[in-house]
Amino acid sequence: MKNIWWKILTVLLLLFTVFAGLMSDVPRLAILNETIRNLYFHVPMWFGMILILLISVVYSIRYLRNPTIKNDVIAHEAAKVGILFGVLGIVTGMEWAKFTWGEYWSNDPKQNAAAIGLLIYFAYIVLRSSFAEQQQRARISAVYNIFAFAALIPLLFILPRLTDSLHPGNGGNPGFNAYDLDSSLRMVFYPAVLGWTLLGIWIVNVRSRFEILRQRIYETV
Amino acid sequence: MRKINAVLFKEILYLIQKDLVLEWRQKYAFNGMLLYVGSTVFVCYLSFGLRQFSDDSGPIWNALLWIILLFTSVNAIAKSFMQENRGRLLYFYSIVSPQGIILAKIVYNTLLMLLLALICFVFYAFVLGNPVQDIPMFLLSLLLGAVGFSTSLTMISGIASKAANSSTLMAILSFPVIVPMLLMLIKMSKNAMDGLDRGASLDELLTLLAINMIVVTVSYILFPYLWRS
């Protein structure tokens, strides 16, 4: 229980995010209006997703170097939590897009990229479920995880910059800093990113400990 | 180090030769692909009726060609590992290095795809009309497409061949990986169709080359792990 401090920090940060995010003053901007508060919920989902998927890939690489059940379980659980964050990010983003861009889905390159990214990880889950043997499943899905992540990076970071996007920072739209400069937004935004990401890591942590314990019980029975 | 490289190079050459000879002896596979391309193009011609070309059907013409090429390549490359039986794979396993196998397969599939893409384009242009204004640039995008599809699909086919329902898996594993490449290819070939200045496609060209390089490198590094099982 000596590592409990970051869990307390997560709870405090998220409480702060929810209260300050909904109650504090936000700048009045045309079109955005009050929906700017979604900044505290939508954007951190993407930060969290990228980081957690990165964890998944790192553990896949570690699995190939050192095949233990622990590495495989963490890679798998992190991919699942990454999907959860991705779905939440898409849903919150669609809600936001409805009020600011007028449509839930407006063929924006970043929206499309996010959807394709999710498809890759759904495929990862399907691939995993099509193997019966544990060792083979772990090795081959680790290979696919690394391969897909290497193909996903250009998608997420290069493609939206080549075409026009409605998202800030692309295709002539002002970047984050143009209206993020408001210090009251930053006061909540950075803790929100940290809080949601830590929550994701916490979920991965609990789930993989649970999974490892379960496998151990199966082995002994 | 140089000696290892020379050995690897020789292995790759032998393996490509083996694949070519195999293909030559069992012509049904290649002929099957040709018929597949031909009938798909013909079905598109019948169902879209694109012969009477208007200015606004350019994007449809382009997208349709790439979709046909995508499905052709998934089907053609899917068999690159599933075709070999267990005994032969074990035999390869004992005599050549995995890097040699994946590189040879990539080169061989690229050659196959180049041929298929070229035939497909010629037949497609013949049946549905040819609105392309900058043919060399369009052929360059076909070349990049063939290389890109074969590099990423070869690795995916290796992954899928290990699993139980490999043909379904091949499709769902490959489409998300291929899509960024496909979007860029469609954009680049559209530029060539409209006869835009070649500098306009430079961004896409460089990004495609970069993605191809990433994919080949990752395949080269990861394939030995896949091969071992």
Side-chain angles (χ1 to χ4, degrees):
Chain A
M1 281 294 115
K2 61 181 187 291
N3 282 331
I4 202 168
W5 62 270
W6 64 275
K7 294 171 183 170
I8 296 171
L9 180 71
T10 309
V11 173
L12 289 179
L13 281 173
L14 285 181
L15 280 176
F16 172 71
T17 304
V18 171
F19 276 110
L22 295 178
M23 309 299 270
S24 72
D25 260 354
V26 288
R28 310 269 150 223
L29 294 165
I31 303 172
L32 279 169
N33 296 325
E34 288 286 325
T35 65
I36 189 80
R37 294 183 194 280
N38 205 355
L39 178 75
Y40 310 136
F41 303 99
H42 169 63
V43 186
M45 288 301 149
W46 294 117
F47 280 77
M49 183 190 79
I50 298 285
L51 196 86
I52 288 166
L53 291 181
L54 195 68
I55 291 175
S56 170
V57 170
V58 167
Y59 274 91
S60 282
I61 296 172
R62 284 179 64 171
Y63 180 84
L64 291 183
R65 290 175 161 267
N66 173 28
T68 59
I69 289 180
K70 179 172 164 255
N71 287 341
D72 177 48
V73 165
I74 294 178
H76 182 206
E77 297 300 333
K80 281 202 280 194
V81 176
I83 288 179
L84 174 71
F85 271 56
V87 170
L88 288 176
I90 279 202
V91 170
T92 51
M94 275 164 70
E95 191 65 21
W96 201 0
K98 176 66 181 167
F99 288 104
T100 50
W101 304 338
E103 293 287 338
Y104 285 116
W105 199 272
S106 37
N107 208 15
D108 180 75
K110 276 200 175 172
Q111 280 186 325
N112 291 341
I116 299 163
L118 276 184
L119 280 183
I120 289 183
Y121 282 91
F122 286 141
Y124 171 76
I125 300 291
V126 173
L127 177 69
R128 279 193 74 93
S129 61
S130 64
F131 290 103
E133 203 222 329
Q134 196 265 335
Q135 294 249 328
Q136 201 186 23
R137 173 175 64 212
R139 173 151 6 88
I140 290 169
S141 48
V143 168
Y144 181 70
N145 195 0
I146 301 166
F147 188 72
F149 193 80
L152 181 71
I153 291 175
L155 185 69
L156 288 183
F157 292 101
I158 302 171
L159 267 189
R161 281 172 178 68
L162 284 181
T163 44
D164 287 341
S165 169
L166 292 164
H167 272 86
N170 302 117
N173 284 327
F176 253 137
N177 289 327
Y179 45 99
D180 197 14
L181 265 179
D182 192 301
S183 58
S184 67
L185 277 181
R186 288 196 167 182
M187 270 283 291
V188 188
F189 178 64
Y190 292 139
V193 169
L194 196 63
W196 289 114
T197 311
L198 281 177
L199 179 70
I201 293 171
W202 192 358
I203 299 175
V204 174
N205 186 320
V206 171
R207 286 206 55 127
S208 27
R209 271 162 47 203
F210 179 71
E211 188 62 34
I212 290 168
L213 279 180
R214 204 172 65 172
Q215 295 210 358
R216 199 171 292 160
I217 288 170
Y218 280 161
E219 273 171 17
T220 51
V221 167
Chain B
M1 193 66 205
R2 174 168 295 166
K3 193 160 181 215
I4 293 170
N5 278 340
V7 170
L8 185 66
F9 194 65
K10 219 176 207 169
E11 270 177 15
I12 292 172
L13 279 184
Y14 271 125
L15 284 168
I16 294 172
Q17 203 184 358
K18 176 221 77 166
D19 274 336
L20 285 174
V21 170
L22 262 184
E23 195 70 63
W24 185 250
R25 287 195 188 146
Q26 333 172 315
K27 288 192 200 67
Y28 70 90
F30 186 68
N31 288 344
M33 287 325 296
L34 274 187
L35 198 56
Y36 184 91
V37 170
S39 36
T40 319
V41 170
F42 198 61
V43 166
C44 289
Y45 163 63
L46 289 179
S47 42
F48 280 84
L50 279 176
R51 181 81 222 187
Q52 285 77 35
F53 233 85
S54 57
D55 285 337
D56 55 338
S57 57
I60 302 176
W61 187 93
N62 193 22
L64 210 54
L65 174 65
W66 281 107
I67 290 170
I68 294 172
L69 281 178
L70 173 67
F71 277 86
T72 311
S73 47
V74 169
N75 274 317
I77 296 173
K79 68 180 175 58
S80 58
F81 286 100
M82 300 169 197
Q83 180 192 43
E84 319 261 13
N85 59 26
R86 259 194 109 72
R88 200 190 285 157
L89 284 178
L90 259 174
Y91 176 58
F92 288 150
Y93 182 70
S94 57
I95 55 172
V96 288
S97 67
Q99 282 93 350
I101 290 190
I102 186 76
L103 290 179
K105 282 281 183 199
I106 286 178
V107 173
Y108 168 73
N109 281 332
T110 308
L111 292 176
L112 183 72
M113 274 317 298
L114 265 181
L115 194 62
L116 278 176
L118 207 62
I119 293 171
C120 180
F121 171 58
V122 169
F123 186 58
Y124 189 77
F126 178 70
V127 175
L128 281 100
N130 180 15
V132 179
Q133 294 179 20
D134 190 349
I135 298 261
M137 199 62 190
F138 196 84
L139 289 181
L140 181 66
S141 74
L142 278 186
L143 171 82
L144 280 176
V147 176
F149 285 175
S150 51
T151 48
S152 37
L153 287 176
T154 307
M155 187 65 189
I156 298 280
S157 133
I159 294 173
S161 70
K162 302 281 180 195
N165 52 345
S166 47
S167 51
T168 326
L169 216 50
M170 178 79 192
I172 53 169
L173 292 183
S174 58
F175 286 160
V177 177
I178 288 278
V179 164
M181 219 175 262
L182 192 70
L183 290 180
M184 236 158 331
L185 284 166
I186 286 181
K187 205 168 164 211
M188 189 177 156
S189 56
K190 185 73 178 60
N191 286 350
M193 262 178 78
D194 298 343
L196 294 189
D197 182 44
R198 288 185 186 175
S201 314
L202 197 66
D203 267 357
E204 279 81 25
L205 195 100
L206 291 178
T207 318
L208 274 171
L209 282 178
I211 294 184
N212 279 344
M213 260 153 62
I214 293 175
V215 169
V216 173
T217 321
V218 175
S219 308
Y220 181 83
I221 297 170
L222 288 181
F223 190 70
Y225 294 102
L226 196 63
W227 188 232
R228 209 184 289 161
S229 54

